[in-house]
Amino acid sequence: MIPGTGSRSAVSPFSGSYRWSGYALGFAIGGFFDGILLHQILQWHHLLSALDGAPYSDLRFQILADGVFHALMYAVGGVGLWLLWRSRSEFGRTGADRLLYSNALIGFGAWHVIDAVASHWLLGIHRIRMDSEFPLLWDLIWVVAFGLVPLLIGWLIRPDSDDAGLLKAGGPASLAALAIVGGVGAALPPGDVDNAPLIVVFAPGTTASDAFAAMASVDGRLVWSDATDQVWAIDVPPGRNTAGLYGRGALLVSNSLVPLGCLDWFRS
């Protein structure tokens, strides 16, 4: 019992919609966290990086698989938001915030545990660091830090009496905002490209002239392209808005922290 609260009493029951909204939003946030950090920023792997042969050797297919993964997370997050809205009458109940946050942490941790067991070890479709000599070590570090620890914290902070909410009635709004920000972050292209080449993957059927026109629309300069002429690295002036490239045939616009690093290990 939290100091300062009254005597222990039974917690007001919460609906399944309210409970599952926390699980679903935490699960979706875990997926967005994984995709944004590991796929886009660090570029340690794609969803199907460990699979060999056609079509897995095609970077465009790998990016398509990442897109399907993100679409699934949008669906899970959408369900979570709908369940949260459906149970909005419960936001002010005693322990509501505490329960929502604990369930969200459990959902976040569950995503990483399921990903490790299913994707890394049973199916073998990717590992945390594809370029590491010790992939199991990285898998274990990741699943402990972002899977088991959040699961444990979520379980420990679950309300079991007349615990007050963590932020009164602000928990649902803040958790919903975090899920929405994660979804937006997974979809946005880089807003500023200072000195780093911009990696642009064009859709099948995009001609070289179409790609040059797209590059010209952002005042870009070609640095490198692959043999298929579908993956380009271009220099773009700082501050240039690159979102318009998606309307000119681009499947992915990515500002790599290590220029072409993902392509280098992907080809090896």
Side-chain angles (χ1 to χ4, degrees), residues 48 51-64 266:
L48 304 178
L51 301 182
D52 296 324
Y56 310 114
S57 58
D58 188 337
L59 180 61
R60 291 169 297 173
F61 183 86
Q62 293 285 345
I63 292 168
L64 174 62
F266 189 76

Side-chain angles (χ1 to χ4, degrees), residues 130-141:
M130 294 296 300
D131 60 348
S132 173
E133 296 181 3
F134 309 101
L136 180 59
L137 176 61
W138 281 98
D139 290 348
L140 292 174
I141 291 173

Side-chain angles (χ1 to χ4, degrees), residues 4 23 37 53 58 106 108-109 141 178 187 190 193 221 248 256 260:
Y23 294 135
L37 183 60
D58 188 337
I106 291 172
F108 183 92
I141 291 173
L178 183 59
V193 279
R221 180 182 65 84
R248 293 178 173 271
S256 173
L260 306 182

